[in-house]
Amino acid sequence: MSPFTAPTAHLDIQLAPQPITPEERIQRMQGLGFGKVFTEYMVVIPYSEAGGWGRGVLKPYGPIQLDPAASVLHYGQAIFEGFKAYRQPDGHVKTFRPEANANRFNASARRLAMPEIPVELFVEAADTLISQERDWVPSAIGESLYLRPFMIATAAELGVKPSNEYLFIIIASPSGAYFAQGVKPVTVWISENYVRAAPGGTGSAKCAGNYAASLIAQKEAKEAGCDQVVWLDAVQRRYVEEMGGMNIFFVYQEGGKTVVVTPVLTGTLLPGITRLTLLELAKSMGYGAEERRISVEDWQTALKDGSMTEAFACGTAAVITPIGVVKSNHGQWVINGGEAGPVATRLRKALLDLQHGVAPDPNHWLHEVC
Ligand code: PLP
Ligand code: COI
């Protein structure tokens, strides 16, 4: 039975004429990877310059119609977010810091000259979709319902200017591990031929074009036998910034203390919510936690002299994934014998326990949905 039959404050409800059976849903949720299976419904909210945000609708998941002249198809005004809903031990469902995603969505919107959406509307739309789809939220630790809010420019006009019409949409996808091999360490490729983001560009925005421009480097990485790209700064091509869809952390042993270090936000990297969470979580676990600039030379030297013991990637989709091997045009090096290290393993467990409601949530990062 659907929890919604009546409109909410901002959304009408349009139920599927032929709902998916529980057996079919269970079958579709077998062997979850990342982003391959989508739930039965989506939320769509229109925006127009003249009328602002209109009434939205929760409706069956399906194709959307666009005019061939829609400006997203030509000039790429498209932004997105990613966050997750987690099954709690009592069967309820909570999301993790959804307001942070809404705020980052609005920062991306400003950079792309798109309209901002009220944070409450962003959260209400997600909550409505999740409540409708609560049976699609898996319960195993490490599995979740991934929410993908996005906004596209829909005005049919070829002049190069901000569109005056947009669609905000949220789709949902039950998900397991982002990398097919699960939490086994990944091999990464330092991209020297391509850059992701330059000062003044769109690096700190979650816009579609950033990902389109990254694919050729990702292809190069695959050809070199790697799982992911590590991006360097565009100016000096020395400093490590982040990865394809993840931030990066290094673990140092400094003066008898374990310190986790992540590249400082310079405006060219995405301010990850997992990154921010881990900086705080690491401190609460007794580690040092710092933001610094780290060059590729620093990385190699610290591994050689033993002061760096681990490196790992983090993000909503990837959670925490250890880095086992680093390759570049100039050779390769191995971290922690290519194995997951104790700090990454501990942080990963602490983060997942928090998100799944197994550990306390002193900072009130979890948001109760249903
Ligand atoms: N960096 C990039 C380029 C990303 O796409 C993502 C994913 O959203 C991240 C970092 C990690 O951000 P978050 O932890 O908010 O998922
Ligand atoms: C996420 O972690 O939510 C991401 O957006 C990363 C990637 C799938 C683009």
Side-chain angles (χ1 to χ4, degrees):
M1 249 293 283
S2 158
F4 289 109
T5 45
T8 71
H10 300 100
L11 301 174
D12 294 324
I13 307 295
Q14 195 183 305
L15 294 178
Q18 284 183 311
I20 290 178
T21 62
E23 293 72 30
E24 190 182 343
R25 188 188 63 245
I26 290 163
Q27 202 260 327
R28 283 170 59 181
M29 287 175 72
Q30 297 300 310
L32 291 174
F34 176 78
K36 294 200 170 77
V37 175
F38 298 95
T39 66
E40 202 176 357
Y41 287 89
M42 61 185 188
V43 165
V44 181
I45 311 178
Y47 173 94
S48 74
E49 204 169 271
W53 289 100
R55 267 196 85 68
V57 61
L58 173 91
K59 62 193 269 195
Y61 181 97
I64 51 174
Q65 223 179 6
L66 282 181
D67 193 291
S71 52
V72 64
L73 301 175
H74 303 270
Y75 308 129
Q77 267 186 302
I79 59 172
F80 68 96
E81 266 305 323
F83 66 102
K84 287 175 168 174
Y86 302 87
R87 183 73 67 186
Q88 304 294 298
D90 64 1
H92 285 97
V93 176
K94 295 184 178 177
T95 48
F96 189 70
R97 310 186 81 170
E99 299 86 3
N101 290 90
N103 286 325
R104 187 172 65 188
F105 192 74
N106 283 336
S108 301
R110 287 193 294 277
R111 179 62 184 84
L112 277 275
M114 298 167 88
E116 294 182 41
I117 183 164
V119 171
E120 312 73 53
L121 181 55
F122 181 103
V123 175
E124 179 195 322
D127 286 359
T128 306
L129 180 61
I130 298 161
S131 300
Q132 174 66 33
E133 305 289 47
R134 56 170 299 146
D135 291 341
W136 289 87
V137 182
S139 50
I141 296 232
E143 294 184 347
S144 55
L145 184 67
Y146 181 81
L147 282 309
R148 171 53 65 91
F150 62 102
M151 179 166 39
I152 53 172
T154 54
E157 214 181 315
L158 294 182
V160 180
K161 61 179 187 193
S163 171
N164 56 18
E165 285 172 11
Y166 298 86
L167 285 179
F168 170 81
I169 302 177
I170 311 184
I171 54 175
S173 172
S175 71
Y178 182 71
F179 290 108
Q181 79 271 30
V183 283
K184 281 220 337 257
V186 289
T187 298
V188 297
W189 174 252
I190 297 184
S191 177
E192 291 168 314
N193 295 330
Y194 304 101
V195 292
R196 174 181 177 277
T202 57
S204 65
K206 211 160 161 57
C207 60
N210 286 350
Y211 298 81
S214 76
L215 298 177
I216 189 169
Q218 183 62 29
K219 204 164 143 222
E220 191 183 76
K222 279 264 172 312
E223 281 160 10
C226 298
D227 305 292
Q228 267 292 326
V229 175
V230 172
W231 296 108
L232 302 181
D233 77 283
V235 177
Q236 300 189 55
R237 307 277 186 111
R238 274 185 68 199
Y239 294 100
V240 176
E241 297 217 313
E242 61 177 324
M243 296 178 45
M246 290 143 241
N247 292 110
I248 191 166
F249 271 86
F250 303 96
V251 181
Y252 286 89
Q253 306 303 324
E254 289 176 348
K257 196 168 163 77
T258 299
V259 184
V260 300
V261 181
T262 192
V264 66
L265 299 177
T266 54
T268 53
L269 51 148
L270 194 80
I273 293 154
T274 317
R275 172 189 179 281
L276 185 64
T277 301
L278 289 179
L279 283 170
E280 299 182 40
L281 203 57
K283 275 189 218 149
S284 76
M285 291 167 70
Y287 299 124
E290 291 183 14
E291 299 170 84
R292 298 184 202 154
R293 293 203 98 182
I294 294 149
S295 68
V296 177
E297 304 92 281
D298 297 337
W299 191 353
Q300 275 179 296
T301 311
L303 277 173
K304 268 203 201 109
D305 69 22
S307 56
M308 186 193 290
T309 49
E310 299 175 43
F312 61 86
C314 73
T316 299
V319 192
I320 287 183
T321 303
I323 299 172
V325 180
V326 187
K327 293 186 186 178
S328 77
N329 284 324
H330 310 289
Q332 70 174 62
W333 63 93
V334 176
I335 306 175
N336 192 44
E339 299 296 327
V343 178
T345 305
R346 250 178 254 143
L347 281 169
R348 185 172 194 281
K349 180 168 186 325
L351 179 62
L352 286 172
D353 283 353
L354 170 56
Q355 292 168 330
H356 284 271
V358 177
D361 175 25
N363 299 300
H364 308 289
W365 282 330
L366 289 169
H367 164 80
E368 172 108 37
V369 179
C370 58

